[in-house]
Amino acid sequence: IQEMIEIFEEKGLSHEDATTAILAMSKNKEFFVDLMMAFELELEVPSEDDNPYFDGLVTFCSFVCFGFVPLLGYVVLYSIDLGDDKVTILFIIACCLTGLMLFV
């Protein structure tokens, strides 16, 4: 409770007002835990609509799709004759595609 009083004092409340407010809010434990997560730990309370499985699937698909793009240079251009510096050219293409994917 003392840490929350200090946080409220940093926000501009007097010590008495911060103590009164925190003591009143601490009577409802669930509300106070949510308040502590937001102010003290700077964490957001997940909403009931959040689905971690869907979020994980979206993250996996983006890693697969955007992670495969830099390899496209090797897959598509490997059979084409690019001269003696074929590996270097393919590496530069992969670097460029990687840089491009960072901004997409």
Side-chain angles (χ1 to χ4, degrees):
I1 290 180
Q2 186 61 37
E3 292 175 8
M4 290 298 293
I5 293 172
E6 291 171 4
I7 290 173
F8 274 49
E9 287 175 350
E10 290 173 4
K11 300 265 183 208
L13 271 76
S14 68
H15 181 74
E16 294 80 22
D17 290 341
T19 304
T20 304
I22 293 299
L23 290 176
M25 288 186 275
S26 67
K27 291 179 183 177
N28 182 339
K29 293 212 182 276
E30 186 176 328
F31 173 75
F32 191 65
V33 168
D34 291 345
L35 186 73
M36 284 179 56
M37 284 180 58
F39 280 98
E40 186 177 347
L41 302 175
E42 297 180 3
L43 298 173
E44 294 291 327
V45 179
S47 67
E48 295 177 11
D49 294 337
D50 283 350
N51 184 348
Y53 297 110
F54 178 73
D55 294 343
L57 179 66
V58 169
T59 302
F60 173 75
C61 290
S62 65
F63 274 119
V64 169
C65 293
F66 292 111
F68 182 71
V69 170
L71 299 175
L72 281 175
Y74 290 102
V75 172
V76 174
L77 300 175
Y78 188 75
S79 61
I80 297 174
D81 183 27
L82 298 173
D84 294 335
D85 292 335
K86 181 177 189 174
V87 174
T88 305
I89 292 171
L90 290 175
F91 178 72
I92 292 171
I93 291 172
C95 290
C96 292
L97 289 173
T98 301
L100 179 69
M101 286 297 103
L102 289 175
F103 297 106
V104 170

